[in-house]
Coordinates of all heavy atoms in Angstrom, one line a residue:
M665 N 23.3 28.9 19.8 CA 23.6 29.7 21.1 C 25.0 29.5 21.5 O 25.6 28.4 21.3 CB 22.7 29.1 22.2 CG 21.3 29.7 22.2 SD 20.6 29.7 23.8 CE 19.3 28.5 23.5
S666 N 25.5 30.5 22.0 CA 26.9 30.5 22.4 C 26.9 29.9 23.8 O 26.0 29.9 24.6 CB 27.5 31.9 22.4 OG 26.9 32.6 23.4
F667 N 28.1 29.4 24.2 CA 28.4 28.9 25.5 C 28.2 29.9 26.6 O 27.6 29.5 27.6 CB 29.9 28.4 25.5 CG 30.2 27.7 26.8 CD1 29.7 26.4 27.1 CD2 31.1 28.2 27.7 CE1 30.0 25.8 28.2 CE2 31.4 27.5 28.9 CZ 30.8 26.3 29.1
E668 N 28.4 31.1 26.4 CA 28.2 32.2 27.3 C 26.7 32.4 27.7 O 26.4 32.5 28.8 CB 28.8 33.5 26.8 CG 29.0 34.6 27.8 CD 29.7 35.8 27.2 OE1 30.9 35.7 26.9 OE2 29.0 36.8 27.0
V669 N 25.9 32.4 26.6 CA 24.5 32.5 26.8 C 24.0 31.3 27.6 O 23.1 31.4 28.5 CB 23.7 32.6 25.4 CG1 22.2 32.6 25.6 CG2 24.2 33.8 24.7
L670 N 24.4 30.1 27.3 CA 23.9 28.9 28.1 C 24.4 29.0 29.6 O 23.6 28.6 30.5 CB 24.6 27.6 27.4 CG 23.9 27.2 26.1 CD1 24.7 26.0 25.6 CD2 22.5 26.8 26.3
E671 N 25.6 29.5 29.8 CA 26.0 29.7 31.2 C 25.1 30.7 31.9 O 24.8 30.5 33.1 CB 27.5 30.2 31.2 CG 28.4 29.1 31.0 CD 29.9 29.6 31.1 OE1 30.1 30.8 31.0 OE2 30.7 28.7 31.2
Q672 N 24.8 31.8 31.2 CA 23.9 32.8 31.9 C 22.5 32.2 32.2 O 21.9 32.5 33.2 CB 23.7 34.0 31.0 CG 25.0 34.9 30.8 CD 24.8 36.0 29.8 OE1 23.8 36.0 29.1 NE2 25.8 36.9 29.8
L673 N 22.0 31.4 31.2 CA 20.7 30.7 31.4 C 20.8 29.8 32.6 O 19.9 29.7 33.4 CB 20.3 30.0 30.1 CG 19.0 29.3 30.1 CD1 17.8 30.2 30.4 CD2 18.7 28.6 28.8
E674 N 21.9 29.0 32.6 CA 22.0 28.1 33.7 C 22.1 28.8 35.1 O 21.5 28.4 36.1 CB 23.3 27.3 33.6 CG 23.5 26.3 34.6 CD 24.8 25.5 34.5 OE1 25.6 25.8 33.6 OE2 25.1 24.5 35.3
A675 N 22.8 29.9 35.2 CA 22.8 30.7 36.4 C 21.5 31.3 36.8 O 21.1 31.2 38.0 CB 23.8 31.9 36.2
K676 N 20.7 31.7 35.8 CA 19.3 32.2 36.1 C 18.5 31.1 36.6 O 17.6 31.2 37.5 CB 18.8 32.9 34.9 CG 19.3 34.2 34.5 CD 18.7 34.8 33.4 CE 19.4 36.2 33.1 NZ 18.7 36.9 31.9
I677 N 18.6 29.9 35.9 CA 17.8 28.7 36.4 C 18.2 28.3 37.8 O 17.3 28.0 38.6 CB 18.0 27.6 35.4 CG1 17.3 27.9 34.1 CG2 17.4 26.3 36.0 CD1 17.6 26.9 32.9
Q678 N 19.5 28.3 38.1 CA 19.9 28.0 39.4 C 19.4 28.9 40.5 O 19.0 28.6 41.5 CB 21.4 27.9 39.5 CG 22.0 27.4 40.8 CD 21.4 26.0 41.1 OE1 21.5 25.0 40.3 NE2 20.9 25.8 42.3
T679 N 19.4 30.2 40.1 CA 18.9 31.3 41.0 C 17.4 31.0 41.3 O 16.9 31.2 42.4 CB 19.1 32.7 40.4 OG1 20.5 32.9 40.2 CG2 18.6 33.8 41.3
A680 N 16.7 30.7 40.2 CA 15.2 30.5 40.3 C 15.0 29.3 41.2 O 14.1 29.2 42.1 CB 14.6 30.3 38.9
V681 N 15.7 28.2 41.0 CA 15.6 27.0 41.8 C 15.9 27.2 43.3 O 15.2 26.8 44.2 CB 16.5 25.8 41.3 CG1 16.6 24.7 42.3 CG2 16.0 25.3 39.9
D682 N 16.9 28.0 43.6 CA 17.3 28.4 44.9 C 16.2 29.2 45.6 O 15.9 29.0 46.7 CB 18.6 29.2 44.9 CG 19.9 28.3 44.5 OD1 19.7 27.1 44.6 OD2 20.9 28.9 44.3
T683 N 15.7 30.2 44.8 CA 14.6 31.0 45.3 C 13.3 30.2 45.7 O 12.7 30.3 46.7 CB 14.2 32.1 44.3 OG1 15.4 32.9 44.0 CG2 13.1 33.0 44.8
I684 N 13.0 29.3 44.7 CA 11.9 28.4 45.0 C 12.1 27.5 46.2 O 11.2 27.3 47.0 CB 11.6 27.5 43.7 CG1 11.1 28.4 42.6 CG2 10.7 26.4 44.0 CD1 11.0 27.7 41.3
T685 N 13.3 27.0 46.4 CA 13.6 26.2 47.6 C 13.5 27.0 48.8 O 12.8 26.5 49.8 CB 15.0 25.6 47.4 OG1 15.1 24.8 46.2 CG2 15.3 24.7 48.6
L686 N 14.0 28.2 48.8 CA 13.9 29.1 50.0 C 12.3 29.4 50.3 O 11.9 29.3 51.4 CB 14.6 30.4 49.8 CG 16.2 30.2 49.9 CD1 16.8 31.6 49.5 CD2 16.6 29.8 51.3
L687 N 11.6 29.6 49.2 CA 10.2 30.0 49.4 C 9.4 28.8 49.9 O 8.5 28.9 50.8 CB 9.6 30.5 48.1 CG 10.0 31.9 47.7 CD1 9.5 32.1 46.3 CD2 9.7 32.9 48.7
Q688 N 9.8 27.6 49.5 CA 9.1 26.3 50.0 C 9.4 26.2 51.5 O 8.6 25.8 52.3 CB 9.5 25.2 49.2 CG 9.0 25.1 47.8 CD 9.5 23.9 47.0 OE1 10.6 23.5 47.2 NE2 8.8 23.5 46.0
M689 N 10.7 26.4 51.9 CA 11.0 26.3 53.3 C 10.3 27.3 54.1 O 9.8 27.0 55.2 CB 12.5 26.5 53.4 CG 13.3 25.3 52.9 SD 15.1 25.7 52.8 CE 15.6 26.2 54.4
E690 N 10.1 28.5 53.6 CA 9.4 29.6 54.3 C 7.9 29.2 54.4 O 7.3 29.4 55.5 CB 9.5 30.9 53.5 CG 8.9 32.1 54.2 CD 9.2 33.4 53.6 OE1 10.1 33.5 52.7 OE2 8.4 34.3 53.8
V691 N 7.4 28.6 53.4 CA 5.9 28.2 53.5 C 5.8 27.1 54.5 O 4.8 27.2 55.3 CB 5.5 27.7 52.0 CG1 4.2 26.9 52.2 CG2 5.4 28.8 51.1
E692 N 6.7 26.2 54.6 CA 6.6 25.2 55.6 C 6.7 25.8 57.0 O 6.0 25.3 57.9 CB 7.7 24.1 55.4 CG 7.4 23.1 54.3 CD 6.1 22.4 54.3 OE1 5.8 21.9 55.4 OE2 5.4 22.4 53.4
E693 N 7.6 26.7 57.2 CA 7.8 27.4 58.5 C 6.5 28.1 58.9 O 6.0 28.1 60.0 CB 8.9 28.3 58.4 CG 9.3 29.0 59.7 CD 10.4 29.9 59.7 OE1 11.4 29.5 59.0 OE2 10.4 31.0 60.3
L694 N 5.9 28.8 57.9 CA 4.6 29.5 58.1 C 3.5 28.5 58.5 O 2.7 28.9 59.3 CB 4.3 30.4 56.9 CG 5.2 31.6 56.7 CD1 4.9 32.3 55.4 CD2 5.1 32.6 57.8
K695 N 3.5 27.4 57.8 CA 2.4 26.4 58.1 C 2.6 25.9 59.6 O 1.6 25.7 60.3 CB 2.6 25.2 57.2 CG 2.0 25.5 55.8 CD 2.2 24.2 54.9 CE 1.7 24.5 53.5 NZ 1.8 23.2 52.7
E696 N 3.8 25.7 60.0 CA 4.1 25.3 61.4 C 3.6 26.3 62.4 O 3.1 26.1 63.4 CB 5.6 24.9 61.6 CG 6.0 23.7 60.9 CD 7.5 23.5 61.0 OE1 8.2 24.2 61.6 OE2 8.0 22.5 60.3
Q697 N 4.0 27.7 62.0 CA 3.6 28.7 62.9 C 2.1 28.8 62.9 O 1.5 29.1 64.0 CB 4.1 30.0 62.4 CG 5.6 30.2 62.6 CD 6.2 31.5 62.0 OE1 5.4 32.2 61.3 NE2 7.5 31.7 62.2
K698 N 1.4 28.6 61.8 CA 0.0 28.7 61.8 C -0.6 27.6 62.7 O -1.6 27.8 63.4 CB -0.5 28.5 60.3 CG -2.1 28.5 60.2 CD -2.5 28.2 58.8 CE -4.0 28.0 58.8 NZ -4.4 27.2 57.7
Q699 N -0.1 26.4 62.5 CA -0.5 25.3 63.4 C -0.4 25.6 64.9 O -1.3 25.4 65.6 CB 0.3 24.0 63.0 CG -0.2 22.8 63.7 CD -1.4 22.2 63.2 OE1 -1.8 22.4 62.0 NE2 -2.1 21.4 63.9
A700 N 0.8 26.1 65.2 CA 1.0 26.5 66.6 C 0.0 27.6 67.1 O -0.5 27.5 68.2 CB 2.4 27.0 66.8
L701 N -0.3 28.5 66.3 CA -1.2 29.6 66.6 C -2.6 29.0 66.7 O -3.4 29.5 67.6 CB -1.1 30.7 65.6 CG 0.1 31.6 65.7 CD1 0.2 32.5 64.5 CD2 0.3 32.4 67.0
E702 N -3.0 28.2 65.9 CA -4.3 27.6 65.9 C -4.5 26.7 67.2 O -5.5 26.8 67.9 CB -4.6 26.7 64.7 CG -4.9 27.5 63.5 CD -5.0 26.6 62.2 OE1 -4.6 25.4 62.3 OE2 -5.5 27.1 61.2
S703 N -3.4 26.0 67.6 CA -3.4 25.3 68.8 C -3.6 26.2 70.0 O -4.4 25.9 71.0 CB -2.2 24.4 68.9 OG -2.2 23.7 70.1
E704 N -2.8 27.3 70.0 CA -2.8 28.3 71.1 C -4.2 28.9 71.2 O -4.8 29.0 72.3 CB -1.8 29.3 70.9 CG -1.7 30.3 72.1 CD -0.6 31.4 71.9 OE1 0.2 31.2 70.9 OE2 -0.6 32.3 72.7
A705 N -4.8 29.2 70.0 CA -6.2 29.8 70.0 C -7.2 28.9 70.6 O -8.1 29.2 71.4 CB -6.5 30.2 68.6
N706 N -7.1 27.6 70.3 CA -8.0 26.6 70.8 C -7.9 26.4 72.3 O -8.8 26.3 73.1 CB -7.8 25.2 70.2 CG -8.3 25.2 68.7 OD1 -9.2 26.0 68.4 ND2 -7.7 24.3 67.9
E707 N -6.6 26.5 72.8 CA -6.4 26.4 74.2 C -7.0 27.6 75.0 O -7.7 27.5 76.0 CB -4.9 26.3 74.5 CG -4.3 25.0 74.2 CD -2.8 25.0 74.4 OE1 -2.2 25.9 75.1 OE2 -2.1 24.1 73.8
L708 N -6.8 28.8 74.4 CA -7.3 30.0 75.0 C -8.8 30.0 74.9 O -9.5 30.5 75.9 CB -6.8 31.3 74.2 CG -5.3 31.6 74.4 CD1 -4.8 32.7 73.5 CD2 -5.0 32.0 75.9
R709 N -9.4 29.5 73.8 CA -10.8 29.4 73.7 C -11.4 28.5 74.8 O -12.4 28.8 75.5 CB -11.2 28.9 72.3 CG -12.6 29.2 71.9 CD -12.8 28.9 70.5 NE -12.1 29.7 69.6 CZ -11.2 29.3 68.7 NH1 -10.8 28.0 68.7 NH2 -10.5 30.1 67.9
S710 N -10.7 27.3 75.0 CA -11.2 26.4 76.1 C -11.1 27.1 77.4 O -11.9 27.0 78.2 CB -10.3 25.2 76.0 OG -10.5 24.5 74.8
G711 N -10.0 27.8 77.6 CA -9.8 28.4 78.9 C -10.8 29.5 79.2 O -11.4 29.6 80.3
R712 N -11.1 30.3 78.1 CA -12.2 31.3 78.3 C -13.5 30.6 78.6 O -14.3 31.1 79.5 CB -12.3 32.1 77.0 CG -13.3 33.3 77.1 CD -13.7 33.9 75.8 NE -14.6 33.0 75.1 CZ -14.5 32.7 73.7 NH1 -13.6 33.3 73.1 NH2 -15.4 32.0 73.3
E713 N -13.9 29.6 77.9 CA -15.1 28.9 78.1 C -15.2 28.3 79.6 O -16.2 28.5 80.3 CB -15.3 27.7 77.2 CG -15.6 28.3 75.7 CD -15.5 27.1 74.7 OE1 -15.3 25.9 75.0 OE2 -15.7 27.5 73.5
A714 N -14.1 27.8 80.1 CA -14.0 27.4 81.4 C -14.3 28.4 82.4 O -15.0 28.3 83.5 CB -12.7 26.7 81.7
L715 N -13.6 29.6 82.2 CA -13.7 30.8 83.1 C -15.2 31.3 83.0 O -15.7 31.8 84.1 CB -12.8 31.9 82.7 CG -11.4 31.6 83.1 CD1 -10.4 32.7 82.4 CD2 -11.2 31.6 84.5
E716 N -15.8 31.3 81.8 CA -17.2 31.8 81.7 C -18.1 30.9 82.6 O -19.0 31.3 83.2 CB -17.6 31.8 80.2 CG -17.0 33.0 79.5 CD -17.3 33.0 78.0 OE1 -17.8 32.0 77.5 OE2 -17.0 34.0 77.3
Q717 N -17.9 29.5 82.4 CA -18.7 28.6 83.2 C -18.5 28.8 84.7 O -19.4 28.7 85.5 CB -18.3 27.2 82.8 CG -19.1 26.1 83.5 CD -20.6 26.2 83.1 OE1 -20.9 26.4 82.1 NE2 -21.5 26.0 84.1
K718 N -17.2 29.0 85.1 CA -16.9 29.2 86.5 C -17.6 30.5 87.0 O -18.2 30.5 88.1 CB -15.5 29.3 86.7 CG -15.0 29.4 88.2 CD -13.5 29.3 88.4 CE -13.1 29.4 89.8 NZ -11.7 29.3 90.0
M719 N -17.6 31.6 86.2 CA -18.2 32.9 86.5 C -19.7 32.6 86.7 O -20.3 33.1 87.7 CB -17.9 33.9 85.5 CG -18.5 35.2 85.8 SD -18.2 36.5 84.6 CE -19.3 36.0 83.4
Q720 N -20.3 31.9 85.8 CA -21.8 31.6 85.9 C -22.1 30.9 87.1 O -23.1 31.2 87.8 CB -22.2 30.9 84.6 CG -23.7 30.7 84.5 CD -24.1 30.0 83.2 OE1 -23.3 29.3 82.6 NE2 -25.3 30.2 82.8
N721 N -21.3 29.9 87.5 CA -21.5 29.1 88.7 C -21.4 30.0 89.9 O -22.2 29.9 90.8 CB -20.5 27.9 88.7 CG -20.8 26.8 87.7 OD1 -21.8 26.8 87.1 ND2 -19.8 26.0 87.5
M722 N -20.4 30.8 89.9 CA -20.2 31.7 91.1 C -21.4 32.7 91.2 O -21.8 33.1 92.3 CB -18.9 32.5 90.9 CG -17.7 31.6 91.1 SD -16.1 32.4 91.0 CE -16.0 33.1 92.6
Q723 N -21.9 33.2 90.0 CA -23.1 34.1 90.1 C -24.3 33.4 90.6 O -25.1 34.0 91.4 CB -23.3 34.7 88.7 CG -22.3 35.7 88.2 CD -22.5 36.1 86.8 OE1 -23.1 35.4 86.0 NE2 -22.0 37.3 86.5
Q724 N -24.4 32.2 90.2 CA -25.6 31.4 90.8 C -25.4 31.1 92.3 O -26.4 31.2 93.0 CB -25.7 30.0 90.0 CG -26.2 30.2 88.5 CD -26.1 28.9 87.8 OE1 -25.5 27.9 88.3 NE2 -26.7 28.9 86.6
E725 N -24.2 30.9 92.7 CA -23.9 30.7 94.1 C -24.2 32.0 94.9 O -24.8 31.9 95.9 CB -22.5 30.2 94.3 CG -22.1 29.7 95.6 CD -20.7 29.2 95.7 OE1 -20.3 28.5 94.7 OE2 -20.0 29.5 96.7
Q726 N -23.8 33.1 94.3 CA -24.0 34.4 95.0 C -25.5 34.7 95.0 O -26.0 35.1 96.2 CB -23.3 35.5 94.1 CG -23.5 36.9 94.7 CD -23.0 38.0 93.9 OE1 -22.8 37.8 92.7 NE2 -22.9 39.2 94.4
T727 N -26.2 34.4 94.0 CA -27.6 34.6 94.1 C -28.3 33.7 95.2 O -29.2 34.2 96.0 CB -28.3 34.2 92.7 OG1 -27.7 35.2 91.7 CG2 -29.8 34.5 92.7
A728 N -27.8 32.4 95.3 CA -28.4 31.5 96.3 C -28.0 32.0 97.6 O -28.9 32.1 98.5 CB -27.8 30.1 96.1
W729 N -26.9 32.6 97.9 CA -26.6 33.1 99.2 C -27.3 34.4 99.5 O -27.8 34.5 100.6 CB -25.0 33.4 99.2 CG -24.1 32.3 99.5 CD1 -23.4 31.5 98.8 CD2 -24.0 31.7 100.9 NE1 -22.7 30.5 99.4 CE2 -23.1 30.6 100.8 CE3 -24.5 32.0 102.2 CZ2 -22.7 29.8 101.8 CZ3 -24.1 31.2 103.2 CH2 -23.2 30.2 103.1
Q730 N -27.5 35.2 98.5 CA -28.3 36.4 98.7 C -29.8 36.0 99.1 O -30.3 36.7 100.0 CB -28.4 37.2 97.5 CG -27.0 38.0 97.2 CD -27.1 38.8 95.9 OE1 -27.9 38.5 95.1 NE2 -26.2 39.8 95.8
E731 N -30.3 35.0 98.5 CA -31.7 34.6 98.9 C -31.7 34.0 100.3 O -32.6 34.3 101.1 CB -32.2 33.5 97.9 CG -32.4 34.0 96.5 CD -33.5 35.1 96.5 OE1 -34.5 35.0 97.2 OE2 -33.2 36.2 95.8
R732 N -30.7 33.2 100.6 CA -30.6 32.7 102.0 C -30.5 33.8 103.1 O -31.2 33.8 104.1 CB -29.4 31.8 102.2 CG -29.6 30.4 101.5 CD -28.4 29.6 101.8 NE -28.3 29.1 103.2 CZ -27.3 28.5 103.7 NH1 -26.3 28.1 102.9 NH2 -27.3 28.2 105.0
I733 N -29.7 34.8 102.7 CA -29.5 36.0 103.6 C -30.8 36.7 103.8 O -31.3 37.1 104.9 CB -28.3 36.9 103.2 CG1 -27.1 36.2 103.4 CG2 -28.4 38.2 104.0 CD1 -25.8 36.8 102.8
R734 N -31.5 36.9 102.6 CA -32.8 37.6 102.7 C -33.8 36.9 103.5 O -34.6 37.5 104.3 CB -33.3 37.8 101.3 CG -32.6 39.0 100.5 CD -33.4 39.3 99.2 NE -32.6 40.2 98.5 CZ -32.0 40.0 97.3 NH1 -32.0 38.8 96.8 NH2 -31.3 40.9 96.6
G735 N -33.7 35.5 103.4 CA -34.7 34.8 104.1 C -34.4 34.8 105.6 O -35.3 35.0 106.4
L736 N -33.1 34.8 106.0 CA -32.8 34.9 107.4 C -33.1 36.3 108.0 O -33.6 36.4 109.1 CB -31.2 34.7 107.6 CG -30.8 33.2 107.4 CD1 -29.2 33.1 107.3 CD2 -31.4 32.3 108.4
L737 N -32.9 37.4 107.1 CA -33.2 38.7 107.6 C -34.7 38.8 107.8 O -35.2 39.5 108.7 CB -32.7 39.7 106.6 CG -31.2 40.0 106.5 CD1 -30.8 40.9 105.5 CD2 -30.7 40.5 107.9
G738 N -35.5 38.2 106.9 CA -37.0 38.2 107.0 C -37.4 37.5 108.2 O -38.3 37.9 109.0
K739 N -36.7 36.4 108.6 CA -37.0 35.7 109.9 C -36.7 36.6 111.1 O -37.5 36.6 112.0 CB -36.3 34.4 109.9 CG -36.8 33.3 109.1 CD -36.0 32.0 109.2 CE -36.5 31.0 108.3 NZ -35.8 29.7 108.4
M740 N -35.6 37.4 111.0 CA -35.2 38.3 112.1 C -36.3 39.4 112.2 O -36.6 39.8 113.4 CB -33.8 38.8 111.9 CG -32.7 37.8 112.0 SD -31.1 38.5 111.7 CE -30.9 39.8 112.8
D741 N -36.8 39.8 111.1 CA -37.8 40.9 111.2 C -39.0 40.4 111.8 O -39.7 41.1 112.5 CB -38.1 41.4 109.8 CG -37.0 42.3 109.2 OD1 -36.2 42.8 110.0 OD2 -37.0 42.4 107.9
N742 N -39.3 39.1 111.6 CA -40.6 38.5 112.2 C -40.5 38.4 113.7 O -41.4 38.3 114.4 CB -40.9 37.2 111.5 CG -41.4 37.4 110.1 OD1 -41.9 38.5 109.8 ND2 -41.3 36.4 109.3
V743 N -39.2 38.1 114.1 CA -39.0 37.9 115.6 C -39.1 39.2 116.3 O -39.7 39.2 117.4 CB -37.6 37.4 115.7 CG1 -37.1 37.3 117.3 CG2 -37.4 36.0 115.2
E744 N -38.7 40.2 115.8 CA -38.8 41.6 116.5 C -40.2 42.0 116.7 O -41.2 42.0 116.8 CB -38.0 42.6 115.8 CG -36.6 42.3 115.8 CD -35.8 43.4 115.0 OE1 -36.3 44.5 114.8 OE2 -34.7 43.1 114.6

């Protein structure tokens, strides 16, 4: 092989190594982004569950108040 062919081969190898290095860096960055998104998704899921629980508690409280009001209105009807 001639020296020129070896230089071309070396340049191609170096380009391949550089590309692989850049792709590895990109993969690491994407892994970090994925981790951050998973964390955010878990936080949102927890927040949603807390809100659903709060809504359920408020609905139960509303039902209890409605029953109390109905009972008081029933007593008022009995007085008249």
Side-chain angles (χ1 to χ4, degrees):
M665 274 203 251
S666 69
F667 185 69
E668 194 174 292
V669 172
L670 287 175
E671 283 182 343
Q672 289 175 350
L673 181 58
E674 182 181 7
K676 287 181 180 182
I677 290 172
Q678 187 59 48
T679 301
V681 168
D682 292 344
T683 302
I684 289 169
T685 302
L686 288 173
L687 290 172
Q688 287 174 334
M689 290 170 55
E690 187 176 339
V691 165
E692 286 303 314
E693 184 178 322
L694 290 171
K695 284 180 182 179
E696 290 173 7
Q697 289 176 356
K698 178 186 173 203
Q699 183 77 23
L701 289 172
E702 285 175 345
S703 177
E704 184 180 350
N706 287 334
E707 288 175 19
L708 291 171
R709 201 171 292 117
S710 294
R712 185 194 74 223
E713 290 169 359
L715 286 173
E716 287 174 348
Q717 181 63 40
K718 186 175 181 178
M719 182 180 73
Q720 187 176 23
N721 291 343
M722 292 180 81
Q723 287 173 336
Q724 290 172 348
E725 192 176 318
Q726 178 187 14
T727 301
W729 276 103
Q730 285 175 340
E731 291 300 318
R732 285 182 70 188
I733 291 170
R734 283 190 188 108
L736 291 172
L737 290 174
K739 287 181 182 180
M740 288 177 60
D741 286 342
N742 291 335
V743 171
E744 294 177 21

